[in-house]
Structure formats: structure tokens, C-alpha cells
């Protein structure tokens, strides 16, 4: 019995989803296989499953044979189509991919650059700066016995090997039973435990033992073979799994030798951990609070080390390759996790520079942290909503950590650009619903697709345009493509059942655009009603980012529930200065009186009509401008999560008359 489907698991079946899929498959008695491009593998082996390299939006077939085949297919297809269903809250809100909580900055995916005069440069994997004593962690390589076994030794060696595997699994089970593990760490240890329990790895080792190799040599060879398979796949998530296979292999070898790995227990407060590679297993047990920074030969932005470092706020530079050997004897190391710079034994001036940057950052962080839970109010008691601008579910945690009072701008473009096809209504509904649930009861303002010829996406043919910024983009394109627009509106109506969803239209320059959208929203609601699909209404607002919208703000305010001022585009259109062109950057200035007047006109029109006026352009996070915006009557400011606490502080100080 078999059924095919399109995989909707974000970024495909890499470590964590593969582990979950295997767990589901193992709950059934039937033999279950997953088939892709004619290749079938057991759905009960996460290593085999990962090596099948199933990507999001690919077609696969689930094949089952046994008494509970129907139930198995139902459950596994269900997972592939709707991976978030049935997860507990922790898992559902964990980062959707292994890359961590926030999208990696562009620099993180950049290959390591060559050495520089003042040190080394690697992959900037976790932001922040650090300077401290070096803690070199280069555990000795493990070697096998290097002799062939006699035939009568083989059975005993296999028993010894199985006992070592069982001991490693039991140790990982004990780690998983600890309450202290975060959801992310638990996922990582669970993925390692799965590799340790997988017969792809242990079976390969047993084959080598049967061939006469001692267990340690057999394990080393098997780990290299399986790791090489992972390295050969054209997918950076799966490449990072090669390190996990080596880490598991090493633990099994140590158990065979009756040795403990070199411990990180003795690392001193604020030390910089230097290693060729740190297995996720070691790192998950390391005293993370004491580690000042991490520098590694292996690893990249998607490796477990990067994930753990980012989630604990530890600056990290990874991927130095063999150049890590230059740090083996370092006494002191300075690193910049934003740029990837590593300085060995910095001179006094460099050390002082790094130390003052570390101190300033810590002081600012500590001072601002108190504002996370503050609800900023003006002197008259009016609450100002300080919300987050985000573009993916991975950023939810960073926004919540910062104390965001909802989302003031969810840019939906990434959802469309990340995929090879236009995202389905179901996938969109699931994304928007996850967002609404995460922030309820605070509002989540989702901006409808804002894309034009400068950022083409698969599935939409854009014409060649002389000037795409003045062309077929945003609401203009959406209204011309109701097939795309209605799919998004239907998804938003469905998601509105799950929280406080509001919707805003980008690039509005004419009242007709709002009216036409309303007709489409009503049409979508009527369709969903007729289909019996649960849905709810939402507030409809507009972005004010064209001069035309400013000039018709009074009329617009009568037709919409809120304004959100997009100062990035508004500035470029008011000043006729391309926001991407450095030669006119001086003109592209939000503080120019022309732009500030446009903002004030908008605010006045909104306040007079009694609707909410907010701002989601970059200027919303500027402490020097926030007082002026609030005096104009704005009551919502949406910004990148990193600016939230500072903005709350500014508003609080303003209310106190400081
Ligand atoms: C803006 O234009 O101010 C805005 C928030 O939208 P974007 O930067 O996505 O164009
Ligand atoms: Mg804009």
C-alpha cells in the first residue's frame, strides 16, 4: 500500500524532522519505506532517511506493508503535509529549521575568508564580541588496535560493541530526561541518539567487525563512511550531519575503551573555547554560562555549535579549517562574531578595544533588559505598542525575547521567495496561524505580498521594466493576479481564527485599490463559508509609503482600520531618491522636513478619523525621532527586535519628562 504527496516540511527532512518522522514510523508494526525518485529507504532509519535528502516541495511516496499499513500511511503523510500538527507548543515554536532562531545574517553563510594581517577570519556564526584566555580543546585522536581478530574473537567483539552502543544510548537517554535541556538542545541530543541507535551506522561497524576488525577500528571506519555520504549530499543542513556521525562514533569508541572524553568542565569564566570541532554532545553538556566565546576549525552557520552558541548568546567564529592550529598555543584570543574576525594574543591596544566593546555591550544589554516587560505609556496613560518587524517564523523567539508587543510588520515575501513554487493556501494559513498564536492577544499585522520586478519570484512572470520601483509591484501586482492574491487572503481569513490577525496593503496610491481588495476579501469569506472552512474577519489597513497615499490620507482613513507608515519607501518617493543608490544617500533622509511633513500629515488625518496610526519603516526604531512621532499622534511603532528595548526606554523617559 502506498500514497504520494508533496513534502511541506520546512527545509526538508534534515536532522530534527527526520528524527520525528522515524519516531512516528517506529510506532507502527508495518515495514514502512519512503520513496524519492525511485529510491526507497526504510522510514525507520533516520540516517537513511536523511541521506535520501528529501527537500521541501519534493514529491515522495510513503509505502507500508503490514497489519497497520493504513494507519502508518495516514500518520506519515499527515506529518509530511502538516508537520506542525500534533506537536507540543515547545516544538511547534522551535525554529522551523536547524539554522536557529533567526535567519543567519548574510555573512554567516559566506565561506571563510583567507587570513588577514591582524589575525584570521572565519564564518561569523554567532554575533557579539569577546576577549579572554584561550581554552584549547583538542582531544587526542582515537586509534584502533590495528590487528586482525581471530575467528573465535569475533562474537565476543560484537557483544562488546553492542554493549558500548547501549551504554552511549543510555547516557543520551539520561541527558534527554534532564529538565534543564532547552527545546533546541533536546532536539539536537535526540538527533544524536537516533544516529547512535541507527543500524546504518552500527550495522556498518558490525560488518567490519565480522570482517576481522577490532570494534574501535570498525567504528572509526563506519563513521567515516557514513559521514562521507552526508558530506557528499548537496545540502548544507545534511553536510553538517557528518559532524554528528563522527561525534557519535567517537562516543562509542570511548565507551569501548572505557575512557571519558576530555572534559570542558574545567573551562574558566569568560574563556574562549578553541577546538577543531566540538561535538554537539560535548557542547550540550558543557558549562555554557562560563564560555566567553567559541572558535572552531569545523562548522558553519547551520552546525549545531552555531545553533547552541546563538541561543545562549555566545559569540562564535567557526569554519577556520586548518588555520585553527595557529590557535593551539594561544594564550589569549579576541573574536568578533559579527565579522568573523579572530585575533591571536592581541596586543594591549587591541585587547583594551575589545574589552571596552564587550563592557559597553554588556552594560547596554543589562540596562535595557529591564524594559523587556515594560508596557510603555505616555504621560497621559496612552499605551504605545512597540512591535516587531519580522519575515519568518524563525524570528518569533527573538521578537518575544526582546519583549515585542506583537508584530507590526510581517513581510510575507520570504515565504514566497524561499520556495520553488508559489506557497499553497494551506502552507500560508499554517504560517500565519502559527504567528497569530505565538503573539496572541497582541496583534500581528501581516502585509500582503509586496514584490516587484526587482525581486522576481518563481511562479510570477514580471515584465521587464525601466523602473521597477515605479512599476508593477505590491498591491498593483496582487490586484492583477487575483489567483495569487485570493490564495493569500483566504489563508489570512483562516488564520484569523487563531489570534489577532490584521492585514495591511503595501504601495497603496489609490482608494480604488482598497475597495477592490475589500471585494476580494468578501468573495474569499463567502467561498470559505460555502466550503464550511472556519475563518474570521480581520482589520484591513494600509501602508502609507507613497506621496499619493499621504495626499489622500483623509479619504483613506475613512475606509481602513489603521495606517502604518513605511518610511523606507515614503522617503525614497517623497525625495525622489532611490533607497538603494548610495550616490543619493544624502537625500534619502527621513529627517528631511519634506518627509517629516508627510508623516505629520498622515498622522493628523489618521488621528482625526480616530484610527490607529503606526509606523513600520526603519525610522520607527530611532530614539532620536520617536518623541517627534509620538507627539504627532502615532501609537504603534514596529521595528527590528534588536531595537525594541531601546525604544521602550525612550518612550518611558519621554513620559517621565526626561
Ligand atoms: C517601508 O517601505 O518603510 C517598509 C516598511 O517596507 P519595506 O522596507 O519592506 O519596503
Ligand atoms: Mg515599503
Amino acid at each position: 500500500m502506498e500514497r504520494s504527496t508533496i513534502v511541506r516540511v520546512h527545509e526538508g527532512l534534515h536532522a530534527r524532522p527526520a528524527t520525528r518522522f522515524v519516531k512516528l514510523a517506529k510506532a507502527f508494526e508495518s515495514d514502512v519505506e519512503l520513496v524519492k525518485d525511485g529510491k526507497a529507504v526504510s522510514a525507520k532509519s533516520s540516517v537513511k532517511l536523511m541521506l535520501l535528502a528529501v527537500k521541501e516541495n519534493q514529491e515522495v511516496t510513503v509505502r507500508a506493508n503490514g497489519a497497520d499499513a493504513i494507519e502508518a500511511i495516514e500518520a506519515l503523510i499527515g506529518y509530511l503535509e502538516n508537520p506542525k500538527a500534533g506537536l507540543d507548543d515547545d516544538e511547534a515554536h522551535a525554529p522551523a529549521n536547524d539554522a536557529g532562531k533567526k535567519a543567519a545574517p548574510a555573512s554567516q553563510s559566506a565561506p571563510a575568508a583567507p587570513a588577514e594581517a591582524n589575525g584570521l577570519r572565519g564564518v561569523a556564526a554567532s554575533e557579539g564580541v569577546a576577549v579572554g584566555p584561550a581554552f584549547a580543546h583538542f582531544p587526542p585522536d582515537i586509534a584502533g588496535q590495528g590487528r586482525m581478530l581471530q575467528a573465535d574473537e569475533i562474537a565476543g567483539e560484537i557483544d562488546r560493541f553492542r554493549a558500548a552502543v547501549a551504554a552511549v544510548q543510555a547516557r543520551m537517554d539520561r541527558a534527554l530526561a534532564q529538565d534543564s535541556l532547552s527545546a533546541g538542545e533536546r532536539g539536537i541530543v535526540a538527533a544524536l541518539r537516533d544516529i547512535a541507535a541507527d543500524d546504518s551506522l552500527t550495522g556498518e561497524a558490525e560488518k567490519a567487525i565480522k570482517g576481522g576488525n577490532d570494534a574501535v577500528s570498525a567504528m572509526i571506519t563506519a563513521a567515516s563512511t557514513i559521514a562521507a555520504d552526508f558530506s557528499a549530499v548537496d545540502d548544507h543542513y545534511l553536510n553538517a550531519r557528518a559532524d554528528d556521525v563522527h561525534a557519535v562514533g567517537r562516543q562509542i569508541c570511548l565507551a569501548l575503551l572505557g575512557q571519558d572524553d576530555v572534559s570542558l568542565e574545567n573551562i574558566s569564566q569568560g574563556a574562549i573555547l578553541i577546538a577543531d570541532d566540538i561535538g554537539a554532545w560535548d557542547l550540550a553538556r558543557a558549562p555554557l554560562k562560563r564560555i566567553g566565546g567559541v572558535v572552531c576549525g569545523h562548522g558553519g552557520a547551520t552546525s549545531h555549535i552555531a545553533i547552541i552558541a546563538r541561543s545562549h548568546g555566545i559569540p562564535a567564529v567557526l569554519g577556520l579549517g586548518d588555520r585553527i592550529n595557529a590557535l593551539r598555543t594561544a594564550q589569549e584570543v579576541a573574536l568578533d562574531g559579527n565579522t568573523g574576525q579572530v585575533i591571536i594574543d592581541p596586543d594591549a591596544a587591541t585587547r583594551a578595544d575589545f574589552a571596552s566593546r564587550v563592557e559597553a555591550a554588556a552594560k547596554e544589554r543589562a540596562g535595557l533588559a529591564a524594559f523587556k516587560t515594560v508596557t510603555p505609556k505616555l504621560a497621559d496613560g496612552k499605551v504605545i505598542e512597540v512591535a516587531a518587524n519580522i519575515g519568518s517564523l524563525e524570528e518569533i523567539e527573538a521578537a518575544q525575547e526582546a519583549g515585542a508587543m506583537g508584530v507590526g510588520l510581517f513581510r510575507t515575501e520570504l515565504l514566497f521567495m524561499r520556495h520553488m513554487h508559489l506557497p499553497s493556501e494551506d502552507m500560508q494559513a499554517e504560517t500565519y496561524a502559527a504567528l497569530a498564536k505565538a503573539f496572541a492577544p497582541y496583534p500581528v499585522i501581516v502585509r500582503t505580498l509586496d514584490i516587484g520586478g526587482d525581486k522576481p519570484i518563481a511562479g510570477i512572470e514580471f515584465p521587464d521594466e525601466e523602473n521597477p520601483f515605479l512599476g508593477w509591484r505590491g498591491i498593483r501586482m496582487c490586484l492583477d493576479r487575483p489567483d495569487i492574491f485570493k490564495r493569500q487572503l483566504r489563508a489570512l481569513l483562516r488564520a484569523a481564527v487563531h489570534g489577532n490577525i490584521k492585514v495591511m496593503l503595501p504601495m497603496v496610491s489609490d482608494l480604488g485599490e482598497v475597495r477592490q481588495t475589500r471585494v476580494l476579501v468578501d468573495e474569499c469569506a463567502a467561498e470559505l463559508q460555502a466550503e464550511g472552512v472556519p475563518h474570521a474577519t480581520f482589520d484591513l489597513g494600509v501602508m502609507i509609503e507613497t506621496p499619493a497615499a499621504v495626499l489622500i490620507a483623509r479619504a483613506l482613513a475613512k475606509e481602513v482600520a489603521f495606517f502604518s507608515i513605511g518610511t523606507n519607501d515614503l522617503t525614497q518617493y517623497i525625495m525622489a531618491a532611490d533607497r538603494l543608490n548610495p550616490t543619493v544617500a544624502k537625500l534619502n533622509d527621513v529627517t528631511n522636513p519634506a518627509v517629516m511633513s508627510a508623516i505629520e500629515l498622515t498622522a493628523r488625518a489618521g488621528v482625526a478619523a480616530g484610527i490607529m496610526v503606526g509606523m513600520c519603516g526603519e525610522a520607527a526604531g530611532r530614539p532620536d525621532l520617536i518623541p517627534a512621532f509620538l507627539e504627532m499622534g502615532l501609537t504603534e511603532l514596529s521595528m527590528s527586535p534588536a531595537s525594541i528595548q531601546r525604544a521602550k526606554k525612550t518612550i518611558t523617559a519621554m513620559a517621565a519628562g526626561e
Side-chain angles (χ1 to χ4, degrees), residues 411 447 450 506-507 543 545 566 568-570 579:
R411 292 182 164 101
R447 177 173 76 184
D450 184 13
M507 282 295 292
M543 289 193 72
E545 51 184 352
N568 309 339
D569 276 320
L570 185 61
R579 66 194 257 190

Side-chain angles (χ1 to χ4, degrees), residues 258-270:
Q259 291 174 9
D260 263 341
D261 213 345
V262 180
S263 166
L264 295 173
E265 262 313 306
N266 297 328
I267 195 162
S268 60
Q269 183 66 40

